[in-house]
């Protein structure tokens, strides 16, 4: 700033002296001043009087030093801003992104960021941590990543994080292997909740990851959604899309609370459309009391969780279903084929059932 003020002062004095000594217009004095100060020296109209030449010599000499100082200040300021950002001292510039409290270990953090950006490409992510001096280089070089160093017990940490300007706050345990770290997580959840509720209409969601499932009681009736620590890479990402997905995915993956995922290989229903399979599955499940919820069609190793109703089940395909551990696919598939009638299509008014073969003829 001092160099800028000095530049303006010297340049103004030169304009006055040059106009007085050379008898030129203000426009010409301004043009000559710029040429001289920057040492470009186009020479369009060089000074002719002794006084004008002396002023030009003095200005050009001073210009070298002053301009060098100005550019040095600019580069130094930029360097300091970059350093302050790397040290986590700058305010979070990201909006409509995610704020992560307590950075996990590098491999887990890198995978988690990639998971988020699989759903939302290049979404902004701000990492808040009081134990890091700066982000690991592997994370810091990623685009649209910001770091804030600050204690979770200081108000300024939350203000610099701008949590209410972002769509979700994700709180990892400070020490994932230590049960007591859930106590600190609870503190952060309560403070983040306080900030979120202080802004009318704020839609920022709060997610916390437990280190110990036994500590879930601390978060009951809270504003935050709970996710077990070992499922954060899948369940948290799903939760960020809607309120209930985390719990659903965790229930399926634990494979211990009711239904779970199962992959089956069709043999007798080759040639059926996905619509025929889904409709017949509902009918057979109802009749035999063998719950089976079709989830995805797998072709050439590629999962399609939302296949077209007209997609045909071919040899080599697999089907992902949600069912119980005692489910017998061979028995269920035989019931599908054996069933002599098919439930009517949703868009048909007729109550008559018809076979899968008739459905295929109708589609064709």
């Amino acid at each position: 700033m001092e160099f800028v003020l000095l530049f303006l002062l010297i340049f103004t004095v030169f304009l006055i002296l040059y106009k007085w000594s050379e008898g030129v217009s203000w426009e010409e004095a301004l043009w000559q001043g710029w040429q001289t100060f920057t040492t470009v020296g186009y020479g369009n109209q060089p000074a002719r009087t002794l006084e004008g030449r002396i002023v030009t010599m003095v200005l050009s000499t001073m210009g070298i030093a002053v301009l060098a100082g100005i550019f040095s200040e600019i580069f130094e300021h930029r360097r300091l801003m970059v350093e302050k950002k790397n040290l986590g001292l700058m305010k979070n510039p990201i909006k409509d992104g995610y704020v992560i409290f307590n950075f996990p270990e590098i491999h887990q953090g890198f995978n988690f960021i990639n998971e988020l950006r699989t759903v939302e490409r290049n979404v902004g992510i701000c990492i808040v941590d009081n134990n890091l001096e700066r982000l690991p280089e592997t994370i810091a070089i990623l685009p649209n990543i910001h770091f804030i160093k600050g204690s979770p017990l200081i108000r300024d940490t939350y203000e610099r994080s701008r949590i209410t300007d972002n769509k979700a706050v994700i709180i990892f345990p400070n020490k994932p292997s230590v049960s007591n770290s859930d106590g600190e997580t609870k503190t952060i959840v309560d403070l983040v909740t306080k900030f979120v509720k202080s802004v009318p209409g704020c839609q920022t969601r709060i997610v916390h990851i437990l280190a110990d499932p036994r500590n879930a009681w601390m978060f009951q009736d809270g504003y935050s959604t709970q996710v077990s620590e070992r499922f954060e890479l899948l369940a948290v990402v799903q939760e960020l899309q809607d309120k209930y997905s985390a719990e659903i995915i965790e229930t399926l993956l634990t494979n211990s609370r009711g239904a779970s995922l199962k992959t089956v290989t069709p043999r007798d229903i080759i040639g059926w459309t996905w619509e025929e399979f889904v409709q017949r599955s509902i009918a057979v499940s109802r009749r035999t009391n063998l719950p089976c919820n079709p989830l995805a069609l797998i072709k050439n190793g590629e999962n399609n969780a939302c296949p077209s109703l007209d997609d045909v089940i071919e040899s080599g395909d697999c089907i992902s279903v949600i069912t119980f551990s005692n489910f017998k696919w061979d028995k269920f598939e035989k019931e599908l084929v054996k069933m002599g009638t098919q439930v009517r299509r949703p868009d048909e008014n007729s109550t008559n059932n018809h076979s899968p073969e008739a459905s295929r003829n109708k589609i064709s």
Side-chain angles (χ1 to χ4, degrees):
M1 179 60 70
E2 292 81 2
F3 279 101
V4 174
L5 294 176
L6 180 61
F7 162 76
L8 293 176
L9 176 61
I10 294 175
F11 199 79
T12 301
V13 171
F14 173 82
L15 292 182
I16 297 173
L17 293 176
Y18 194 82
K19 176 177 174 55
W20 168 75
S21 62
E22 293 293 312
V24 297
S25 65
W26 285 111
E27 179 183 353
E28 182 62 33
L30 180 64
W31 174 240
Q32 186 66 20
W34 179 85
Q35 294 182 71
T36 304
F37 202 88
T38 59
T39 69
V40 173
Y42 287 122
N44 300 72
Q45 178 147 357
R48 290 169 296 187
T49 65
L50 176 62
E51 294 84 356
R53 290 174 179 175
I54 293 175
V55 170
T56 301
M57 292 168 60
V58 171
L59 181 65
S60 59
T61 303
M62 296 181 67
I64 296 173
V66 174
L67 282 182
I70 291 175
F71 286 115
S72 177
E73 284 282 323
I74 293 174
F75 293 136
E76 180 65 15
H77 176 75
R78 179 172 176 79
R79 187 191 67 80
L80 289 175
M81 292 299 101
V82 171
E83 186 66 13
K84 287 180 67 176
K85 179 181 178 181
N86 291 338
L87 294 176
L89 303 178
M90 300 288 289
K91 188 175 182 180
N92 181 19
I94 295 169
K95 289 186 177 182
D96 298 323
Y98 300 104
V99 178
I100 298 175
F101 277 81
N102 297 329
F103 182 69
E105 56 93 13
I106 297 177
H107 179 72
Q108 187 183 46
F110 184 82
N111 287 340
F112 179 64
I113 291 172
N114 284 337
E115 288 285 348
L116 282 177
R117 289 180 170 176
T118 298
V119 180
E120 300 176 77
R121 187 176 180 85
N122 292 328
V123 66
I125 298 172
C126 175
I127 298 170
V128 183
D129 195 294
N130 197 38
N131 296 319
L132 293 176
E133 292 303 320
R134 60 177 67 210
L135 284 180
E137 188 65 22
T138 306
I139 305 298
I141 62 175
L142 296 176
N144 213 12
I145 296 287
H146 190 76
F147 171 54
I148 287 183
K149 182 177 177 61
S151 169
L153 300 180
I154 298 178
R155 182 185 183 91
D156 176 68
T157 300
Y158 299 90
E159 292 176 342
R160 286 191 292 128
S161 302
R162 298 177 66 183
I163 55 180
T164 57
D165 291 331
N166 287 275
K167 62 178 68 178
V169 177
I170 307 165
I171 305 165
F172 282 84
N174 187 32
K175 297 179 180 178
S177 60
V178 179
S179 177
N180 289 343
S181 65
D182 286 331
E184 180 182 339
T185 299
K186 170 63 175 172
T187 299
I188 299 175
V189 166
D190 290 344
L191 292 174
V192 171
T193 300
K194 182 177 180 179
F195 271 85
V196 169
K197 288 188 173 182
S198 68
V199 178
C202 180
Q203 298 297 314
T204 301
R205 299 185 295 277
I206 306 174
V207 182
H208 69 271
I209 292 91
L210 279 178
D212 188 342
R214 294 175 297 179
N215 294 328
W217 63 271
M218 293 191 293
F219 301 87
Q220 290 178 352
D221 302 322
Y223 192 73
S224 177
T225 299
Q226 174 181 307
V227 178
S228 293
E229 194 274 336
R230 63 182 179 275
F231 293 117
E232 69 276 9
L233 296 185
L234 291 173
V236 170
V237 174
Q238 293 301 318
E239 192 282 334
L240 296 176
Q241 299 177 60
D242 68 74
K243 182 177 180 180
Y244 301 102
S245 294
E247 183 177 351
I248 293 172
I249 290 180
E250 185 175 346
T251 299
L252 294 176
L253 293 179
T254 53
N255 204 24
S256 60
R257 290 187 287 166
S260 61
L261 292 169
K262 186 179 182 68
T263 302
V264 299
T265 303
R267 292 183 178 85
D268 300 330
I269 62 172
I270 300 299
W272 286 25
T273 65
W274 183 255
E275 179 182 19
E276 291 167 352
F277 168 62
V278 171
Q279 289 184 346
R280 184 65 67 86
S281 294
I282 295 172
V284 171
S285 294
R286 181 181 291 114
R287 196 181 85 172
T288 62
N289 197 28
L290 296 172
C292 176
N293 182 20
L295 179 63
L297 179 61
I298 305 170
K299 287 181 173 290
N300 300 319
E302 296 292 330
N303 298 325
N304 186 354
C306 191
S308 167
L309 294 177
D310 294 330
D311 280 354
V312 176
I313 300 172
E314 301 173 328
S315 178
D317 291 350
C318 293
I319 297 174
S320 180
V321 297
I322 301 175
T323 186
F324 294 95
S325 57
N326 60 351
F327 176 74
K328 305 296 184 184
W329 167 249
D330 291 343
K331 178 180 177 181
F332 190 83
E333 188 176 27
K334 285 181 172 56
E335 290 295 329
L336 289 173
V337 176
K338 187 169 67 175
M339 190 173 185
T341 58
Q342 179 186 14
V343 293
R344 65 182 177 86
R345 296 175 184 274
D347 59 347
E348 291 177 346
N349 294 323
S350 172
T351 58
N352 295 328
N353 295 327
H354 51 276
S355 66
E357 291 76 9
S359 298
R360 286 194 290 276
N361 291 334
K362 182 174 180 178
I363 293 172
S364 61

PDB file of all heavy atoms in Angstrom, residues 155-179:
ATOM      1  N   ARG A 155     -15.922 -20.090  18.936  1.00  0.00           N
ATOM      2  CA  ARG A 155     -16.976 -19.642  18.025  1.00  0.00           C
ATOM      3  C   ARG A 155     -16.423 -19.278  16.644  1.00  0.00           C
ATOM      4  O   ARG A 155     -17.050 -19.550  15.612  1.00  0.00           O
ATOM      5  CB  ARG A 155     -17.697 -18.435  18.636  1.00  0.00           C
ATOM      6  CG  ARG A 155     -18.845 -17.899  17.799  1.00  0.00           C
ATOM      7  CD  ARG A 155     -19.438 -16.644  18.404  1.00  0.00           C
ATOM      8  NE  ARG A 155     -20.580 -16.196  17.634  1.00  0.00           N
ATOM      9  CZ  ARG A 155     -21.835 -16.567  17.875  1.00  0.00           C
ATOM     10  NH1 ARG A 155     -22.088 -17.388  18.870  1.00  0.00           N
ATOM     11  NH2 ARG A 155     -22.821 -16.126  17.125  1.00  0.00           N
ATOM     12  N   ASP A 156     -15.233 -18.682  16.628  1.00  0.00           N
ATOM     13  CA  ASP A 156     -14.638 -18.242  15.367  1.00  0.00           C
ATOM     14  C   ASP A 156     -14.452 -19.399  14.391  1.00  0.00           C
ATOM     15  O   ASP A 156     -14.555 -19.212  13.182  1.00  0.00           O
ATOM     16  CB  ASP A 156     -13.281 -17.578  15.645  1.00  0.00           C
ATOM     17  CG  ASP A 156     -12.562 -17.180  14.370  1.00  0.00           C
ATOM     18  OD1 ASP A 156     -13.044 -16.259  13.686  1.00  0.00           O
ATOM     19  OD2 ASP A 156     -11.528 -17.806  14.053  1.00  0.00           O
ATOM     20  N   THR A 157     -14.210 -20.600  14.894  1.00  0.00           N
ATOM     21  CA  THR A 157     -14.038 -21.768  14.024  1.00  0.00           C
ATOM     22  C   THR A 157     -15.292 -22.018  13.201  1.00  0.00           C
ATOM     23  O   THR A 157     -15.222 -22.279  11.989  1.00  0.00           O
ATOM     24  CB  THR A 157     -13.718 -23.019  14.858  1.00  0.00           C
ATOM     25  OG1 THR A 157     -12.512 -22.799  15.596  1.00  0.00           O
ATOM     26  CG2 THR A 157     -13.543 -24.241  13.971  1.00  0.00           C
ATOM     27  N   TYR A 158     -16.444 -21.905  13.823  1.00  0.00           N
ATOM     28  CA  TYR A 158     -17.708 -22.152  13.126  1.00  0.00           C
ATOM     29  C   TYR A 158     -18.059 -21.004  12.185  1.00  0.00           C
ATOM     30  O   TYR A 158     -18.622 -21.226  11.100  1.00  0.00           O
ATOM     31  CB  TYR A 158     -18.828 -22.370  14.146  1.00  0.00           C
ATOM     32  CG  TYR A 158     -18.570 -23.565  15.033  1.00  0.00           C
ATOM     33  CD1 TYR A 158     -17.873 -23.428  16.233  1.00  0.00           C
ATOM     34  CD2 TYR A 158     -18.986 -24.834  14.656  1.00  0.00           C
ATOM     35  CE1 TYR A 158     -17.622 -24.514  17.040  1.00  0.00           C
ATOM     36  CE2 TYR A 158     -18.737 -25.937  15.460  1.00  0.00           C
ATOM     37  CZ  TYR A 158     -18.046 -25.770  16.643  1.00  0.00           C
ATOM     38  OH  TYR A 158     -17.780 -26.863  17.438  1.00  0.00           O
ATOM     39  N   GLU A 159     -17.709 -19.786  12.592  1.00  0.00           N
ATOM     40  CA  GLU A 159     -17.995 -18.634  11.734  1.00  0.00           C
ATOM     41  C   GLU A 159     -17.124 -18.671  10.484  1.00  0.00           C
ATOM     42  O   GLU A 159     -17.608 -18.397   9.375  1.00  0.00           O
ATOM     43  CB  GLU A 159     -17.759 -17.344  12.518  1.00  0.00           C
ATOM     44  CG  GLU A 159     -18.786 -17.143  13.637  1.00  0.00           C
ATOM     45  CD  GLU A 159     -18.495 -15.911  14.458  1.00  0.00           C
ATOM     46  OE1 GLU A 159     -17.339 -15.405  14.391  1.00  0.00           O
ATOM     47  OE2 GLU A 159     -19.399 -15.448  15.179  1.00  0.00           O
ATOM     48  N   ARG A 160     -15.843 -19.009  10.638  1.00  0.00           N
ATOM     49  CA  ARG A 160     -14.973 -19.100   9.465  1.00  0.00           C
ATOM     50  C   ARG A 160     -15.351 -20.272   8.566  1.00  0.00           C
ATOM     51  O   ARG A 160     -15.100 -20.250   7.364  1.00  0.00           O
ATOM     52  CB  ARG A 160     -13.504 -19.230   9.906  1.00  0.00           C
ATOM     53  CG  ARG A 160     -12.915 -17.937  10.433  1.00  0.00           C
ATOM     54  CD  ARG A 160     -11.413 -18.030  10.603  1.00  0.00           C
ATOM     55  NE  ARG A 160     -11.024 -18.955  11.666  1.00  0.00           N
ATOM     56  CZ  ARG A 160     -10.157 -19.937  11.514  1.00  0.00           C
ATOM     57  NH1 ARG A 160      -9.583 -20.144  10.333  1.00  0.00           N
ATOM     58  NH2 ARG A 160      -9.846 -20.721  12.521  1.00  0.00           N
ATOM     59  N   SER A 161     -15.946 -21.299   9.155  1.00  0.00           N
ATOM     60  CA  SER A 161     -16.351 -22.471   8.364  1.00  0.00           C
ATOM     61  C   SER A 161     -17.585 -22.198   7.509  1.00  0.00           C
ATOM     62  O   SER A 161     -17.847 -22.928   6.556  1.00  0.00           O
ATOM     63  CB  SER A 161     -16.630 -23.659   9.293  1.00  0.00           C
ATOM     64  OG  SER A 161     -15.506 -23.971  10.078  1.00  0.00           O
ATOM     65  N   ARG A 162     -18.364 -21.197   7.884  1.00  0.00           N
ATOM     66  CA  ARG A 162     -19.586 -20.830   7.161  1.00  0.00           C
ATOM     67  C   ARG A 162     -20.486 -22.064   6.974  1.00  0.00           C
ATOM     68  O   ARG A 162     -20.940 -22.377   5.874  1.00  0.00           O
ATOM     69  CB  ARG A 162     -19.239 -20.215   5.807  1.00  0.00           C
ATOM     70  CG  ARG A 162     -18.442 -18.925   5.908  1.00  0.00           C
ATOM     71  CD  ARG A 162     -18.047 -18.384   4.565  1.00  0.00           C
ATOM     72  NE  ARG A 162     -19.212 -17.968   3.796  1.00  0.00           N
ATOM     73  CZ  ARG A 162     -19.158 -17.514   2.549  1.00  0.00           C
ATOM     74  NH1 ARG A 162     -17.991 -17.452   1.926  1.00  0.00           N
ATOM     75  NH2 ARG A 162     -20.246 -17.171   1.915  1.00  0.00           N
ATOM     76  N   ILE A 163     -20.744 -22.752   8.061  1.00  0.00           N
ATOM     77  CA  ILE A 163     -21.508 -23.998   7.986  1.00  0.00           C
ATOM     78  C   ILE A 163     -22.925 -23.785   7.469  1.00  0.00           C
ATOM     79  O   ILE A 163     -23.481 -24.651   6.787  1.00  0.00           O
ATOM     80  CB  ILE A 163     -21.527 -24.719   9.343  1.00  0.00           C
ATOM     81  CG1 ILE A 163     -22.051 -23.787  10.436  1.00  0.00           C
ATOM     82  CG2 ILE A 163     -20.147 -25.222   9.711  1.00  0.00           C
ATOM     83  CD1 ILE A 163     -22.113 -24.425  11.804  1.00  0.00           C
ATOM     84  N   THR A 164     -23.516 -22.645   7.763  1.00  0.00           N
ATOM     85  CA  THR A 164     -24.896 -22.412   7.336  1.00  0.00           C
ATOM     86  C   THR A 164     -25.007 -22.073   5.856  1.00  0.00           C
ATOM     87  O   THR A 164     -26.109 -22.023   5.320  1.00  0.00           O
ATOM     88  CB  THR A 164     -25.535 -21.287   8.172  1.00  0.00           C
ATOM     89  OG1 THR A 164     -24.739 -20.099   8.050  1.00  0.00           O
ATOM     90  CG2 THR A 164     -25.624 -21.693   9.635  1.00  0.00           C
ATOM     91  N   ASP A 165     -23.874 -21.833   5.192  1.00  0.00           N
ATOM     92  CA  ASP A 165     -23.894 -21.570   3.747  1.00  0.00           C
ATOM     93  C   ASP A 165     -23.681 -22.836   2.936  1.00  0.00           C
ATOM     94  O   ASP A 165     -23.656 -22.799   1.707  1.00  0.00           O
ATOM     95  CB  ASP A 165     -22.795 -20.560   3.369  1.00  0.00           C
ATOM     96  CG  ASP A 165     -23.087 -19.171   3.900  1.00  0.00           C
ATOM     97  OD1 ASP A 165     -24.277 -18.848   4.048  1.00  0.00           O
ATOM     98  OD2 ASP A 165     -22.132 -18.424   4.176  1.00  0.00           O
ATOM     99  N   ASN A 166     -23.511 -23.969   3.625  1.00  0.00           N
ATOM    100  CA  ASN A 166     -23.233 -25.229   2.940  1.00  0.00           C
ATOM    101  C   ASN A 166     -24.348 -26.239   3.210  1.00  0.00           C
ATOM    102  O   ASN A 166     -25.123 -26.095   4.152  1.00  0.00           O
ATOM    103  CB  ASN A 166     -21.886 -25.773   3.376  1.00  0.00           C
ATOM    104  CG  ASN A 166     -20.739 -24.979   2.783  1.00  0.00           C
ATOM    105  OD1 ASN A 166     -20.311 -25.220   1.666  1.00  0.00           O
ATOM    106  ND2 ASN A 166     -20.247 -23.980   3.518  1.00  0.00           N
ATOM    107  N   LYS A 167     -24.403 -27.260   2.361  1.00  0.00           N
ATOM    108  CA  LYS A 167     -25.543 -28.177   2.399  1.00  0.00           C
ATOM    109  C   LYS A 167     -25.456 -29.217   3.507  1.00  0.00           C
ATOM    110  O   LYS A 167     -26.481 -29.736   3.942  1.00  0.00           O
ATOM    111  CB  LYS A 167     -25.707 -28.868   1.047  1.00  0.00           C
ATOM    112  CG  LYS A 167     -24.526 -29.721   0.620  1.00  0.00           C
ATOM    113  CD  LYS A 167     -24.818 -30.403  -0.712  1.00  0.00           C
ATOM    114  CE  LYS A 167     -24.898 -29.372  -1.830  1.00  0.00           C
ATOM    115  NZ  LYS A 167     -25.124 -30.003  -3.147  1.00  0.00           N
ATOM    116  N   ALA A 168     -24.249 -29.541   3.983  1.00  0.00           N
ATOM    117  CA  ALA A 168     -24.132 -30.564   5.018  1.00  0.00           C
ATOM    118  C   ALA A 168     -22.842 -30.403   5.795  1.00  0.00           C
ATOM    119  O   ALA A 168     -21.822 -29.961   5.262  1.00  0.00           O
ATOM    120  CB  ALA A 168     -24.217 -31.961   4.418  1.00  0.00           C
ATOM    121  N   VAL A 169     -22.904 -30.774   7.076  1.00  0.00           N
ATOM    122  CA  VAL A 169     -21.732 -30.842   7.941  1.00  0.00           C
ATOM    123  C   VAL A 169     -21.561 -32.296   8.352  1.00  0.00           C
ATOM    124  O   VAL A 169     -22.491 -32.926   8.849  1.00  0.00           O
ATOM    125  CB  VAL A 169     -21.904 -29.958   9.193  1.00  0.00           C
ATOM    126  CG1 VAL A 169     -20.697 -30.103  10.115  1.00  0.00           C
ATOM    127  CG2 VAL A 169     -22.103 -28.506   8.801  1.00  0.00           C
ATOM    128  N   ILE A 170     -20.356 -32.848   8.126  1.00  0.00           N
ATOM    129  CA  ILE A 170     -20.071 -34.245   8.427  1.00  0.00           C
ATOM    130  C   ILE A 170     -19.019 -34.281   9.527  1.00  0.00           C
ATOM    131  O   ILE A 170     -17.928 -33.730   9.363  1.00  0.00           O
ATOM    132  CB  ILE A 170     -19.559 -34.993   7.181  1.00  0.00           C
ATOM    133  CG1 ILE A 170     -20.532 -34.795   6.021  1.00  0.00           C
ATOM    134  CG2 ILE A 170     -19.371 -36.475   7.469  1.00  0.00           C
ATOM    135  CD1 ILE A 170     -19.961 -35.177   4.677  1.00  0.00           C
ATOM    136  N   ILE A 171     -19.335 -34.923  10.645  1.00  0.00           N
ATOM    137  CA  ILE A 171     -18.454 -34.904  11.804  1.00  0.00           C
ATOM    138  C   ILE A 171     -17.890 -36.306  12.041  1.00  0.00           C
ATOM    139  O   ILE A 171     -18.625 -37.229  12.411  1.00  0.00           O
ATOM    140  CB  ILE A 171     -19.205 -34.414  13.057  1.00  0.00           C
ATOM    141  CG1 ILE A 171     -19.836 -33.039  12.771  1.00  0.00           C
ATOM    142  CG2 ILE A 171     -18.265 -34.341  14.255  1.00  0.00           C
ATOM    143  CD1 ILE A 171     -20.874 -32.622  13.774  1.00  0.00           C
ATOM    144  N   PHE A 172     -16.594 -36.456  11.809  1.00  0.00           N
ATOM    145  CA  PHE A 172     -15.900 -37.711  12.081  1.00  0.00           C
ATOM    146  C   PHE A 172     -15.424 -37.717  13.536  1.00  0.00           C
ATOM    147  O   PHE A 172     -15.174 -36.652  14.114  1.00  0.00           O
ATOM    148  CB  PHE A 172     -14.683 -37.867  11.160  1.00  0.00           C
ATOM    149  CG  PHE A 172     -15.013 -38.290   9.766  1.00  0.00           C
ATOM    150  CD1 PHE A 172     -15.389 -37.358   8.800  1.00  0.00           C
ATOM    151  CD2 PHE A 172     -14.953 -39.630   9.395  1.00  0.00           C
ATOM    152  CE1 PHE A 172     -15.685 -37.744   7.516  1.00  0.00           C
ATOM    153  CE2 PHE A 172     -15.246 -40.025   8.106  1.00  0.00           C
ATOM    154  CZ  PHE A 172     -15.619 -39.085   7.165  1.00  0.00           C
ATOM    155  N   PRO A 173     -15.263 -38.894  14.122  1.00  0.00           N
ATOM    156  CA  PRO A 173     -14.675 -38.949  15.475  1.00  0.00           C
ATOM    157  C   PRO A 173     -13.221 -38.496  15.433  1.00  0.00           C
ATOM    158  O   PRO A 173     -12.495 -38.807  14.487  1.00  0.00           O
ATOM    159  CB  PRO A 173     -14.806 -40.428  15.864  1.00  0.00           C
ATOM    160  CG  PRO A 173     -14.922 -41.166  14.568  1.00  0.00           C
ATOM    161  CD  PRO A 173     -15.606 -40.235  13.613  1.00  0.00           C
ATOM    162  N   ASN A 174     -12.818 -37.755  16.450  1.00  0.00           N
ATOM    163  CA  ASN A 174     -11.442 -37.265  16.503  1.00  0.00           C
ATOM    164  C   ASN A 174     -10.448 -38.416  16.571  1.00  0.00           C
ATOM    165  O   ASN A 174      -9.386 -38.369  15.942  1.00  0.00           O
ATOM    166  CB  ASN A 174     -11.277 -36.346  17.718  1.00  0.00           C
ATOM    167  CG  ASN A 174      -9.929 -35.665  17.749  1.00  0.00           C
ATOM    168  OD1 ASN A 174      -9.347 -35.369  16.720  1.00  0.00           O
ATOM    169  ND2 ASN A 174      -9.421 -35.427  18.949  1.00  0.00           N
ATOM    170  N   LYS A 175     -10.813 -39.478  17.303  1.00  0.00           N
ATOM    171  CA  LYS A 175      -9.999 -40.692  17.397  1.00  0.00           C
ATOM    172  C   LYS A 175     -10.925 -41.887  17.174  1.00  0.00           C
ATOM    173  O   LYS A 175     -11.572 -42.358  18.112  1.00  0.00           O
ATOM    174  CB  LYS A 175      -9.311 -40.776  18.754  1.00  0.00           C
ATOM    175  CG  LYS A 175      -8.327 -39.641  19.010  1.00  0.00           C
ATOM    176  CD  LYS A 175      -7.691 -39.771  20.382  1.00  0.00           C
ATOM    177  CE  LYS A 175      -6.706 -38.628  20.637  1.00  0.00           C
ATOM    178  NZ  LYS A 175      -6.108 -38.721  21.999  1.00  0.00           N
ATOM    179  N   PRO A 176     -11.014 -42.367  15.937  1.00  0.00           N
ATOM    180  CA  PRO A 176     -11.988 -43.408  15.589  1.00  0.00           C
ATOM    181  C   PRO A 176     -11.884 -44.668  16.436  1.00  0.00           C
ATOM    182  O   PRO A 176     -12.881 -45.366  16.628  1.00  0.00           O
ATOM    183  CB  PRO A 176     -11.660 -43.709  14.118  1.00  0.00           C
ATOM    184  CG  PRO A 176     -11.005 -42.468  13.614  1.00  0.00           C
ATOM    185  CD  PRO A 176     -10.243 -41.929  14.773  1.00  0.00           C
ATOM    186  N   SER A 177     -10.717 -44.985  16.953  1.00  0.00           N
ATOM    187  CA  SER A 177     -10.543 -46.209  17.725  1.00  0.00           C
ATOM    188  C   SER A 177     -10.789 -46.026  19.216  1.00  0.00           C
ATOM    189  O   SER A 177     -10.708 -46.981  19.986  1.00  0.00           O
ATOM    190  CB  SER A 177      -9.126 -46.761  17.512  1.00  0.00           C
ATOM    191  OG  SER A 177      -8.156 -45.807  17.926  1.00  0.00           O
ATOM    192  N   VAL A 178     -11.102 -44.792  19.633  1.00  0.00           N
ATOM    193  CA  VAL A 178     -11.311 -44.495  21.052  1.00  0.00           C
ATOM    194  C   VAL A 178     -12.779 -44.173  21.291  1.00  0.00           C
ATOM    195  O   VAL A 178     -13.312 -43.206  20.729  1.00  0.00           O
ATOM    196  CB  VAL A 178     -10.425 -43.318  21.508  1.00  0.00           C
ATOM    197  CG1 VAL A 178     -10.667 -43.000  22.978  1.00  0.00           C
ATOM    198  CG2 VAL A 178      -8.954 -43.637  21.258  1.00  0.00           C
ATOM    199  N   SER A 179     -13.414 -44.959  22.144  1.00  0.00           N
ATOM    200  CA  SER A 179     -14.847 -44.794  22.399  1.00  0.00           C
ATOM    201  C   SER A 179     -15.183 -43.408  22.941  1.00  0.00           C
ATOM    202  O   SER A 179     -16.198 -42.817  22.595  1.00  0.00           O
ATOM    203  CB  SER A 179     -15.331 -45.869  23.374  1.00  0.00           C
ATOM    204  OG  SER A 179     -16.688 -45.691  23.701  1.00  0.00           O
TER     205      SER A 179
END
